[in-house]
Amino acid sequence: MFDQIDINQVRMACFGGIFLIMALLEAGLPRRRLKSSRLKRWPTNWGIVLLDALLVRLFFPIGGVGLAMLAQEKGWGLFAFLGWSGVVAGLITFVVLDLAVWFQHLVSHKVPLFWRIHRMHHADSEVDATTALRFHPIEILLSFLWKGVVIIALGGPVEAVLIFEIVLNGSAVFSHANVRLPLWLDRPLRFLIVTPDMHRIHHSVLPHETDSNYGFYLSVWDRLFGTYVEDPEQGQETMEIGLGAALTPRAHSFPFSLAIPFLKNPDRRKEARVEDAKGKS
């Protein structure tokens, strides 16, 4: 079977390789000219990553793959009950986990309490590879809890969970990267996976665009549930990113970023939605 240390090494190696590739592509083939320098943003984003990693290690030491191993050992989950295993069970596990992440993302926008936590991710003034890692520690812990429940409920193959974890991390970095893909490549890819141009719309300051394109890897869910937006109103290179003047300029601060969930309506979410609706009518 798998060794937990080896699993973590594989995941970190894959993540590090993908991040390095996307960071180099951002430098050589940028989609947007950054208004805020990496030197100003990256220390805070990486500081959040380190804090998240420490807390996850503390509260969930065995991780998602470890839970899958435990479920398999104990005979827990749907697939154990049905007696299913192999490729079919693995594919279903992967797809259901991707749907679960999409649904969690949708809920983080629709439920006010969860939005308060999630908006730290959207407060970043730019979207690049480090934005993919910028999640409040509370959200990270809730995400691991939700994902763990789904993994145990399914009881799917350990290999499928490992592959999903690697793909999820890599696709998050890819879809947030400030990389220019040619249209002839971007459009076909969108029928299967989330591309940087597709996900960047989700970080628009316009609420109806923020409430779209929730996918991390598979793009089918947004098309299926009617939350897909093809192009931003203001254009990819000129669209405004973030949550407006009350939050985004201060989100470069590490302490302020951690305090965002506890601030009282600084993004004027309801008012912005009303104004956005009037602008569209």
Side-chain angles (χ1 to χ4, degrees):
M1 196 36 107
F2 295 100
D3 180 85
Q4 191 66 27
I5 296 177
D6 292 341
I7 290 172
N8 290 332
Q9 289 175 346
V10 169
R11 288 185 58 197
M12 290 306 299
C14 292
F15 166 77
I18 293 170
F19 183 89
L20 179 60
I21 291 171
M22 300 317 299
L24 290 173
L25 287 174
E26 285 182 337
L29 295 170
R31 183 64 161 106
R32 290 164 52 92
R33 179 176 294 179
L34 300 181
K35 298 177 181 178
S36 301
S37 69
R38 294 180 179 87
L39 186 61
K40 189 174 184 180
R41 295 172 47 252
W42 279 27
T44 291
N45 288 358
W46 279 111
I48 292 168
V49 173
L50 292 176
L51 177 59
D52 289 346
L54 289 173
L55 290 176
V56 167
R57 190 71 176 172
L58 177 64
F59 287 97
F60 300 100
I62 66 173
V65 177
L67 285 175
M69 295 169 64
L70 179 63
Q72 189 173 82
E73 178 185 333
K74 300 292 185 181
W76 295 339
L78 176 64
F79 291 119
F81 175 76
L82 295 174
W84 290 11
S85 61
V87 175
V88 173
L91 288 173
I92 294 174
T93 297
F94 185 97
V95 171
V96 171
L97 282 171
D98 193 73
L99 174 59
V101 171
W102 179 91
F103 178 73
Q104 177 203 345
H105 196 182
L106 176 75
V107 169
S108 71
H109 280 248
K110 301 303 183 183
V111 177
L113 176 61
F114 293 143
W115 169 249
R116 291 176 70 90
I117 301 168
H118 183 62
R119 64 189 176 187
M120 191 194 81
H121 176 66
H122 281 267
D124 202 352
S125 60
E126 303 288 352
V127 180
D128 66 12
T130 64
T131 310
L133 315 172
R134 181 192 164 89
F135 289 94
H136 198 278
I138 297 174
E139 181 169 14
I140 287 293
L141 294 177
L142 290 174
S143 176
F144 266 79
L145 181 61
W146 167 241
K147 191 167 56 177
V149 168
V150 176
I151 288 171
I152 291 175
L154 287 174
V158 177
E159 297 87 348
V161 176
L162 174 60
I163 292 171
F164 176 77
E165 294 275 66
I166 293 172
V167 170
L168 180 65
N169 290 340
S171 62
V173 174
F174 170 71
S175 64
H176 285 85
N178 180 33
V179 172
R180 180 184 297 276
L181 293 183
L183 286 179
W184 62 262
L185 178 60
D186 176 83
R187 296 306 178 181
L189 277 179
R190 284 197 197 189
F191 284 102
L192 179 62
I193 65 173
V194 177
T195 66
D197 274 11
M198 175 180 167
H199 187 73
R200 192 176 300 109
I201 299 168
H202 179 74
H203 285 264
S204 165
V205 74
L206 301 177
H208 73 276
E209 292 183 345
T210 308
D211 293 335
S212 71
N213 298 3
Y214 295 104
F216 273 86
Y217 180 62
L218 297 177
S219 61
V220 63
W221 310 122
D222 285 302
R223 296 179 183 275
L224 184 61
F225 296 109
T227 54
Y228 174 70
V229 171
E230 186 165 341
D231 293 300
E233 291 182 8
Q234 299 173 349
Q236 288 285 353
E237 297 181 4
T238 56
M239 63 187 288
E240 184 180 353
I241 299 293
L243 291 176
L247 270 183
T248 296
R250 302 171 65 188
H252 301 141
S253 161
F254 182 78
F256 181 81
S257 292
L258 293 181
I260 286 176
F262 310 103
L263 303 177
K264 184 179 179 181
N265 194 31
D267 56 344
R268 297 176 60 249
R269 182 73 168 167
K270 292 182 179 179
E271 295 90 335
R273 277 177 169 160
V274 171
E275 293 170 4
D276 191 28
K278 288 180 179 178
K280 290 174 64 181
S281 60

